[in-house]
Amino acid sequence: MARLSVPTKGRLPSSLRVDAANRAVVKSLSRLSREALLSIALDWLDDANLPNAAPYLDDADDDDDPDHLYPPCSSLDELRELYRDMQSRKGSKRDVVSRILEGDWRHGVTLYQLAMVDCAHLEENPTSQRWTAYAILPLKLPSADAGDDEPLKPDKESLTIPRFHPSTFVQNLQQYVLPDVKAHYHFYRPRDYPVLLLRIFVIDSPYNTALALANSSADFSSSRTVYLAFPDGSPSLYITRSQTTGPISLGESKSLQGLIVNGVPKALSRPRQRFVLRPLNLSSRNLWALLERRGAGRTNSAAGGWSIYADERIRSSPLDTVLPPVSPWADAAKPSIGASRRRAAPSTESSRTAKRAKVVAQARFGNEALVTDGKGVERVDMLMRDPFPADDGLPPDPDPDPDTTEAAASPANDSRGMSDRRRSKVQAVLRQAREEEGDDADEADPSLWIPTVRLSFQGPHVFAGIRQLVEAGIVDGERMPGWMTGEEGVTTGVVRHGRVRGHKGAGL
C-alpha cells in the first residue's frame, strides 16, 4: 500500500491488487470453465503480461510454510510447465480456482487480471451482455449569424468520421469522470468479432491507490462495469448496461450510462470538429446482429428483401432500367427437370398456396431472417401511431356528453401528457421522432383519434419467426409492412402510415 494517499482525478492503475479472498474475485473466476481458467493463467505468465500479473514465487528470504497445500514454484518456467501439465489431465474447476487464489497468486489479483477474466467470460458467453447501438455523427459548424445559445445540429449527410487512438481516447474520457469516482480501462479485441472492446470498471472512491480497495467497499458491492464496442470501419458504437456485483439504484445506473454517452463524443472531438452520439433504436444480446445492421458491411442499408443486392457476387441492381430475362424467383415456383419427366401429380389449391407463400417469404426477406444465420434479435417493440379511420359507418352522436368529450381530450389521457420519468422506451423514441421530424399534423388534429397500440415480438430470432409465419401462410407476406422484415434495422420504433418514423422503408 502506498505510504500516502490523497484524493486525485487519476484513473486506477492496472497493477493495483485486490485481495485473493475477495468475494468478487472468487465469483469472477468461478464463472469460467476449467479450460478457460488454465488458458488465462498461462496468459498471465506470458512475458508481455508479467508486469501486471506477476505470480507468487519462492523466495529464499521468505519463511513459507513447508506444509502449505500449494508450495510456491521457484521459477516461471516451472510454473508454466505446471499449468501445461494440468491442461493435459482431467480435474475439477474448483481445484484450479483454489490453486490460483491460494497458491500462485495468493498475494492478490490485479485489476488487469480481473479485466482479462471478464473478457474471457464474454468470449465464453457472448450473449451475456445486452448491447445498444449509437451513431457517431459530426456536428454542423455554427453559422456566422448564429447566437451563442443556439444548439448545434448533427450533420447526417457528412462523411467525416472521428480519429480514434486508444490511449488518447482514454486520457480525454478520464477528464469527464467525477473526482469521487475512479475508473479502470482495459482494451481487448475478441477473436470472433471485428470490434475493439473497452471495459470500464468504476468504483466509488476518491483514491487511486490500494486505499481505494482497502476500505469497506472493497467487496465491490457498489462497483459497475460497462463495455464499449468500437466496430471496425463503422462510425457506430455499442454500449452495454452497467453490470454490478451488488445492489444498485436505477438512478446510479442511468447516471453512469449518461456520463458515458455524454463523455464519449467529447473524448472523440477535436478543435472545430465536434461529434455527438445518437441512439439508433437497436438493442440486442447478439453482437453479430448489431454488426449486420450497423457495422462495416453492405447490409447497413440493404436489409430484409434488399439483402440480395448486398452480395458482391450479384451484379444486378434495383435501379436497372432493363428487366432480367428470368425472374430470380422463377426457380422456386417451377418444378425440377426430373420431376417434369415423371408424371406430374395433380396439384391442389393448398399446395399451390403453400408454394406461393414460400416464394413470397423469399422475396420479402431475401437471404436474411434464417434460423441458422446466428444474427437474430430477441425482442422488437413497436408503437402504432396511425389515426383511426374517421368514417366508422356509425351515425354521429346527436347529444354528446360534454364531460366525456372533455375527459377524452384532456392531456391526462394523452401519452404526451405523461411525465418524462414515467415514459417508457417507446415513448422516448416517439419524442425523439417528433423532435427530429417536426411533423405532428395528424396528431395535432383534434378530430382524429390515435389509439395507443403497442406490439411486442419476443423470441430467440424474431424476424426468423415472422418469416416462418409467412411461409406457413399465417401472415400475409404481400401486405406485410416492411418493418416486419427487419429492413429498417431497428428493434424499437414508432410506426406511422405503415413506416417507422425516421425511416423510408416499404410501407403497406
Side-chain angles (χ1 to χ4, degrees), residues 134 226 239-242 253-261:
Y134 292 84
V226 179
I239 304 177
T240 65
R241 296 179 180 178
S242 58
S253 177
K254 289 187 175 181
S255 176
L256 178 61
Q257 196 81 3
L259 177 65
I260 293 176
V261 172

Side-chain angles (χ1 to χ4, degrees), residues 203-445:
I203 191 171
D204 295 334
S205 176
Y207 309 104
N208 66 340
T209 60
L211 187 62
L213 305 177
N215 52 19
S216 58
S217 64
D219 58 350
F220 297 158
S221 60
S222 61
S223 63
R224 284 93 71 193
T225 304
V226 179
Y227 293 90
L228 278 68
F230 297 88
D232 296 345
S234 175
S236 302
L237 176 65
Y238 315 143
I239 304 177
T240 65
R241 296 179 180 178
S242 58
Q243 304 292 322
T244 63
T245 56
I248 187 173
S249 63
L250 181 61
E252 293 181 3
S253 177
K254 289 187 175 181
S255 176
L256 178 61
Q257 196 81 3
L259 177 65
I260 293 176
V261 172
N262 295 329
V264 166
K266 295 178 181 178
L268 293 173
S269 299
R270 301 170 58 194
R272 298 189 61 81
Q273 193 178 81
R274 305 298 178 183
F275 295 91
V276 67
L277 289 185
R278 283 289 182 265
L280 295 173
N281 302 330
L282 177 62
S283 300
S284 176
R285 291 183 177 273
N286 191 347
L287 197 56
W288 277 119
L290 273 67
L291 290 170
E292 178 75 9
R293 292 164 175 82
R294 296 296 176 182
R298 303 180 64 184
T299 55
N300 286 337
S301 300
W306 306 100
S307 60
I308 60 173
Y309 300 106
D311 192 349
E312 297 180 357
R313 296 172 296 180
I314 297 179
R315 300 298 180 182
S316 59
S317 170
L319 303 179
D320 293 341
T321 57
V322 180
L323 294 177
V326 180
S327 173
W329 318 117
D331 295 338
K334 66 181 181 181
S336 61
I337 298 177
S340 62
R341 293 178 179 177
R342 297 190 301 267
R343 189 173 184 178
S347 59
T348 61
E349 183 66 24
S350 60
S351 63
R352 289 194 298 268
T353 303
K355 184 181 296 184
R356 178 172 178 79
K358 292 183 178 180
V359 174
V360 171
Q362 177 67 21
R364 294 303 305 271
F365 291 91
N367 302 326
E368 292 189 347
L370 300 176
V371 178
T372 58
D373 61 2
K375 301 174 182 178
V377 295
E378 308 83 25
R379 179 166 180 167
V380 176
D381 295 309
M382 291 293 172
L383 176 65
M384 313 301 294
R385 296 296 296 176
D386 286 330
F388 199 79
D391 186 10
D392 53 3
L394 298 177
D397 190 357
D399 188 14
D401 188 358
D403 297 335
T404 306
T405 305
E406 293 178 1
S410 63
N413 289 333
D414 191 358
S415 60
R416 291 171 291 178
M418 294 187 299
S419 59
D420 289 344
R421 64 179 181 178
R422 299 185 66 87
R423 290 180 186 267
S424 64
K425 183 186 297 185
V426 179
Q427 292 291 344
V429 174
L430 176 60
R431 180 178 54 185
Q432 178 186 353
R434 287 173 180 164
E435 294 175 355
E436 293 181 356
E437 295 183 7
D439 183 14
D440 292 334
D442 291 348
E443 299 182 11
D445 190 353

Side-chain angles (χ1 to χ4, degrees), residues 17 35 54 59 169 209-210 212 253 304 378 409 504:
R17 291 191 179 274
E35 293 76 12
D59 192 352
F169 172 78
T209 60
S253 177
E378 308 83 25
K504 298 180 180 180

Side-chain angles (χ1 to χ4, degrees), residues 177-195:
V177 177
L178 299 178
D180 58 343
V181 172
K182 291 297 170 286
H184 175 258
Y185 307 93
H186 178 75
F187 282 99
Y188 173 72
R189 179 169 286 276
R191 296 190 306 266
D192 303 329
Y193 299 95
V195 298

